[in-house]
Amino acid sequence: MADYFAALGVCLEPLNLILLFVCVVAGIIFGAVPGLNGSLGISLLLPITFGLSQSASFSMLCGMYVGGVSGGFISSVLLGIPGTPSAIATCYDGHPMSQKGETSRALGLGIIGSFIGEVLAVLIASALCTVIADLALMLGPWEYFSLCVCAISLVVALSKGRMAKGIMAAAIGLLLSCVGLDPITGCARFTFGNKALTGGIDMTALMLGAYALSQIAKSYAKGNQKLQVFDSRNIKGIGVKLKDFTSNIKTIFSSLMIGLWIGFLPGMGSALSNMVSYSFAKSTSKHPEKFGTGCAEGILASEVSNNAATGGALIPMIALGIPGDSATALLLAALTIHGLTAGPLMIQQHPVTSYMIFGFMLVGAVLVLIIELAAKRWFPYILRIPYHYLYTIILVMCFIGAFTSTNLGFNMVVMLFIAVLALLMDMAGVPMTPLVLAFILGKKIEEYLRKGMTYSSEGWVMFFTRPASLIFLLIAAASILIPVLKPLFAKGKPAKEWVADD
């Protein structure tokens, strides 16, 4: 508890509060504008944090994370266009409620629902993180190898209808993680004689190319530069009553639990949790016919769960060193940049830093609540920011960030290569998330595999005879095989998931 209060003290330092405030505002804007998102904002901030302290760095990154997830509901309510994938379900009831002249109420439900989900989830996550880290200390390299394989398999399993492409993406990520010097023998691998590649693919260049540069190119190519103008005259006051929340306690609780659980599962995050929570709320409601017509229950189900998923995603990132979603993958990269190794020992060795991340999320949630309630009537102006200004600034930041990461011009070439790869993968329907997760976990998988093979004379056998390791491998196998075998038993025909050109 003393470490937690010490971490909160760090979070409340003036400089950190100022940086947190600025990045929360930026995150809300990134979340609100369709085509942009919090992950893109975090990737742009990564190079900026190189010369900053750990506390200043994570105040910026956590602020962007919290603001980005919460801000996605703004365009969902005002325009019926989700600002981020995490706010897709919010469109179903948020926009109809706005069309009925209850815009202020719809925005108020989204703002306070986001706050409830974020704060409760982060508090629960900070308590569970220590317990999970203690359990993780009992595991050996065999279990960690199996856990990493399980994490990648669960992400690949999300590629419904294109399982082969999900496995392909993970394989590319593992291959990219092998570029550079062999950690045991010191031999150069896949460098093609280029000395700039001996240190491996730079994490910052990969993230900027995968999330920022490619996203801008896709948004521009799809013609997402023009948005309709919204009339802000009926946005007044808070717009909600206490009854809106007391009458939906059951929905709030179930959405919180769904968001936490889905956030905890590697690679899933808020983009999935809002859809699952909305479907669950509709299926268990006494009045399912009201969903889709401007129902408060539908807005709360989506917004509580997608913000709760951020708290759930922090648990595996800090306790196990496995990112829960794309944003925590970037936070994990930031920990590496600042010389920290996420995992079960992090809470023991760096307790204040670990709890500081939770603290920034909590303080950030409070700032988001205050900012969004105070600036609610000005939300439509966020959606009028000219895209040609936004895109130009982001592109310049990408190239500056890639260069300053290693002070090598070659890093910009790597970023462009990854961006082109991401665009080609998108055109082919190959998901990017398995690649990023496999790249981050690739070195750990190799390390744990080699340790597991050398720590025992039994070699491969230990991976299957240790109970925890076997359970993780069975979960990994089940997540891949069940979607493939289920259609065979159900319809007696080949599984669609394995068709590479579907």
Side-chain angles (χ1 to χ4, degrees), residues 50-73:
F50 288 166
L52 300 177
S53 64
Q54 291 178 3
S55 60
S57 299
F58 284 98
S59 68
M60 297 172 67
L61 297 172
C62 291
M64 184 67 75
Y65 187 18
V66 177
V69 175
S70 179
F73 81 93

Side-chain angles (χ1 to χ4, degrees), residues 64-302:
M64 184 67 75
Y65 187 18
V66 177
V69 175
S70 179
F73 81 93
I74 296 173
S75 58
S76 295
V77 170
L78 299 183
L79 304 175
I81 304 171
T84 63
S86 64
I88 292 174
T90 310
C91 290
Y92 301 155
D93 283 286
H95 192 53
M97 184 180 287
S98 176
Q99 288 179 316
K100 291 192 298 184
E102 297 182 277
T103 305
S104 187
R105 184 182 179 216
L107 290 173
L109 287 167
I111 292 168
I112 299 177
S114 299
F115 175 76
I116 292 172
E118 186 73 43
V119 169
L120 293 180
V122 171
L123 289 174
I124 294 171
S126 60
L128 291 178
C129 206
T130 305
V131 177
I132 293 175
D134 290 339
L135 292 174
L137 287 172
M138 303 177 187
L139 306 179
W142 307 275
E143 288 81 11
Y144 279 116
F145 169 80
S146 302
L147 179 61
C148 291
V149 171
C150 181
I152 295 174
S153 300
L154 288 172
V155 175
V156 168
L158 292 178
S159 310
K160 294 182 179 179
R162 46 180 184 172
M163 188 78 75
K165 294 178 180 179
I167 294 175
M168 185 191 307
I172 294 172
L174 291 173
L175 180 64
L176 291 176
S177 71
C178 292
V179 174
L181 298 178
D182 184 287
I184 305 298
T185 64
C187 295
R189 305 182 299 191
F190 305 110
T191 60
F192 306 102
N194 191 323
K195 292 182 180 179
L197 285 174
T198 54
I201 300 291
D202 182 63
M203 179 80 72
T204 303
L206 184 135
M207 296 300 184
L208 287 172
Y211 287 105
L213 213 57
S214 63
Q215 183 64 46
I216 296 302
K218 283 188 287 186
S219 296
Y220 187 81
K222 291 176 181 177
N224 293 339
Q225 294 86 43
K226 293 182 180 180
L227 290 174
Q228 57 183 302
V229 178
F230 183 85
D231 187 359
S232 59
R233 283 178 295 183
N234 30 325
I235 304 179
K236 299 176 182 178
I238 296 177
V240 292
K241 299 177 181 179
L242 184 61
K243 185 180 177 181
D244 288 321
F245 301 96
T246 55
S247 60
N248 292 304
I249 289 292
K250 180 182 175 183
T251 299
I252 291 173
F253 178 77
S254 62
S255 301
L256 176 68
M257 293 299 106
I258 290 171
L260 265 173
W261 173 244
I262 292 180
F264 179 81
L265 298 176
M268 298 192 180
S270 54
L272 177 65
S273 67
N274 77 109
M275 300 295 293
V276 173
S277 180
Y278 184 87
S279 300
F280 180 81
K282 184 177 180 179
S283 63
T284 57
S285 175
K286 294 180 181 178
H287 303 285
E289 70 280 356
K290 291 184 179 180
F291 281 74
T293 63
C295 174
E297 194 175 354
I299 298 174
L300 288 173
S302 175

